Amino acid sequence: MPAGFTSMYADRLNQELSLRVVEARDGEVVMRGTVYVAPGELQCAVVRSGPTFSLRVRQAAKVSGHCPSVDVMFASVAMSAGPRAVGALLTGMGRDGADGLLDMRRA
């Protein structure tokens, strides 16, 4: 997704859904009931810090041909949450997310 688009996309979803939807920000603590949209042209990962999880949003290379990449997000969830994680792959962007979801399954 291109930079700039994801902010507008998150705002639009936030207006339409009963859940809170925001564009992910680096260092933000993950909160129950909130949907996070990875910013365009940045990779977004989940990291564990004690009992909480937070987001790491950084410039990085494309993975599976995408930035942001679902593979990056899912792989980080597998490492951070292990067997407590649940994932669903709803994208139609080729194979992006398939390897990361497999990482979650294996964890």
Side-chain angles (χ1 to χ4, degrees):
M1 290 193 240
F5 171 78
T6 50
S7 177
M8 292 183 296
Y9 181 57
D11 289 345
R12 174 68 179 183
L13 288 175
N14 191 54
Q15 292 172 8
E16 299 295 326
L17 301 177
S18 59
L19 296 171
R20 178 175 173 250
V21 182
V22 298
E23 185 177 51
R25 291 186 310 259
D26 189 50
E28 185 168 12
V29 174
V30 175
M31 302 299 293
R32 180 174 288 151
T34 301
V35 175
Y36 299 93
V37 176
E41 299 179 16
L42 298 173
Q43 297 292 9
C44 186
V46 174
V47 294
R48 186 175 184 160
S49 178
T52 63
F53 296 92
S54 60
L55 301 174
R56 179 173 293 148
V57 178
R58 304 271 194 268
Q59 288 186 330
K62 289 182 178 182
V63 173
S64 302
H66 301 283
C67 188
S69 168
V70 181
D71 275 328
V72 170
M73 173 62 74
F74 280 175
S76 72
V77 169
M79 288 178 50
S80 299
R84 298 182 343 184
V86 175
L89 185 56
L90 304 176
T91 181
M93 299 304 295
R95 286 195 41 83
D96 187 35
D99 291 336
L101 192 58
L102 182 58
D103 289 343
M104 288 178 65
R105 174 72 176 123
R106 289 178 175 155

